[in-house]
Amino acid sequence: MAPPRAYQCEAVTLKKFPLGEADLLVTLYTRERGKVRALARGARRSNSKLMGHFEPLTQVKLSLAQGRDLDHVVQAQVVSGFALLKGDLGAIAKGLYVAELVDGFGSESNPNQPLYRLVIEALHAIEAAPESDLPLRFFELHLLQVSGLMPELYRCVECRQTLTPGRHRFSPNLGGALCLDCNPTDARLRPLSLRTLKVLRLLHRTPIAELPALSMDAALARELKALLSTTIQYWLDKEIRSNSFLEHVHHVAGTEV
Ligand SMILES: [Zn+2]
């Protein structure tokens, strides 16, 4: 019988699930293969070499062996444990929200290196500015982009006219901004202020490490968050459970997301 085929990859752990007495079933987002579910045998034993390598939001280098049903972890080396992020409850909630969206949008048979890079960049940005919500908004918009779902921000999606400065509307299901003259019957319209449109364009064209420290008032932050999460939920077509967790953490902390 041929030995199991081995392969190397770099990955971030999205979630883990205890299996049997000491094993872990882990969901990874890998740079090379997209989403991979793998078995880490004995990883819950305190003397295991794999112990602690598969906490969610840990970046690892891995050797895996292909199995008939599940791939098995052979070796693991931590690249970044995001220790600072994991020391802050609000930042953990944000990181788990990122992980859940990657689990939802990532595909098991379709590697997406821009998505992998985006996850790592977003986790570093959350770690660097745990109080700011801008890294999450950046992540949401760019998640849509690397998934081929980038909303139109420059022209009306219906009449294709260039948007002039002013108030507009936004339709998640029609794929972006609309001018005030267009009223397609199947659009799930929501308001789009000029301020929110400008922040969306800034998030789209600015690398995450170069984002300025924008001070957004509560109304602007709320509109931006609602627009992006409505769009994400429309595409994901299911409730984002960790988003509720995020709301809960911010509620407990007495701050607004
Ligand atoms: Zn129009």
Side-chain angles (χ1 to χ4, degrees):
M1 199 173 76
R5 281 173 50 208
Y7 63 94
Q8 267 81 43
C9 65
E10 195 175 294
V12 62
T13 302
L14 304 179
K15 60 186 180 187
K16 63 172 185 176
F17 185 78
L19 205 66
E21 275 190 18
D23 300 345
L24 275 181
L25 182 62
V26 291
T27 303
L28 308 159
Y29 196 77
T30 72
R31 185 176 56 188
E32 292 80 3
R33 297 186 173 218
K35 197 162 70 171
V36 169
R37 277 160 29 100
L39 185 67
R41 281 206 178 108
R44 280 157 54 224
R45 287 204 180 94
S46 56
N47 61 352
S48 166
K49 280 188 293 187
L50 300 179
M51 177 78 182
H53 286 56
F54 295 104
E55 290 307 309
L57 314 178
T58 302
Q59 185 185 12
V60 281
K61 275 187 179 165
L62 296 170
S63 295
L64 291 116
Q66 284 186 340
R68 198 165 53 179
D69 299 317
L70 271 178
D71 296 352
H72 297 231
V73 177
V74 179
Q75 272 187 326
Q77 181 191 349
V78 173
V79 176
S80 174
F82 293 101
L84 290 176
L85 183 154
K86 289 170 186 168
D88 181 311
L89 187 58
I92 292 173
K94 288 174 178 172
L96 292 177
Y97 172 67
V98 166
E100 180 156 359
L101 289 188
V102 175
D103 193 15
F105 278 81
S107 158
E108 290 193 23
S109 52
N110 195 7
N112 184 337
Q113 291 199 11
L115 175 55
Y116 179 76
R117 280 197 300 274
L118 175 63
V119 180
I120 300 299
E121 282 179 1
L123 294 179
H124 280 298
I126 292 167
E127 189 168 61
E131 299 301 320
S132 171
D133 289 331
L134 219 49
L136 277 193
R137 303 293 89 85
F138 179 98
F139 172 76
E140 290 167 331
L141 186 65
H142 285 261
L143 175 65
L144 292 168
Q145 180 172 35
V146 300
S147 305
L149 304 167
M150 178 65 199
E152 171 61 59
L153 300 176
Y154 293 90
R155 290 170 179 273
C156 169
V157 293
E158 184 74 2
C159 69
R160 306 305 300 165
Q161 293 283 332
T162 301
L163 296 174
T164 52
R167 279 172 44 242
H168 303 288
R169 285 169 304 176
F170 187 89
S171 166
N173 59 315
L174 295 187
L178 284 124
C179 73
L180 292 182
D181 295 331
C182 288
N183 274 304
T185 50
D186 52 348
R188 300 178 188 181
L189 292 172
R190 43 182 314 116
L192 172 61
S193 68
L194 185 60
R195 295 194 305 163
T196 296
L197 181 61
K198 284 182 172 176
V199 176
L200 285 167
R201 288 174 174 177
L202 178 76
L203 290 175
H204 182 225
R205 65 172 183 254
T206 312
I208 195 165
E210 294 170 25
L211 279 182
L214 286 183
S215 62
M216 294 190 287
D217 61 41
L220 175 58
R222 213 166 25 238
E223 185 187 333
L224 183 66
K225 177 175 182 252
L227 183 147
L228 284 169
S229 56
T230 305
T231 308
I232 293 273
Q233 288 194 39
Y234 169 74
W235 290 114
L236 200 53
D237 197 28
K238 67 175 187 178
E239 193 182 337
I240 303 171
R241 289 186 306 278
S242 58
N243 208 5
S244 315
F245 175 57
L246 196 60
E247 301 285 358
H248 177 70
V249 166
H250 278 265
H251 180 69
V252 169
T255 58
E256 190 167 351
V257 176

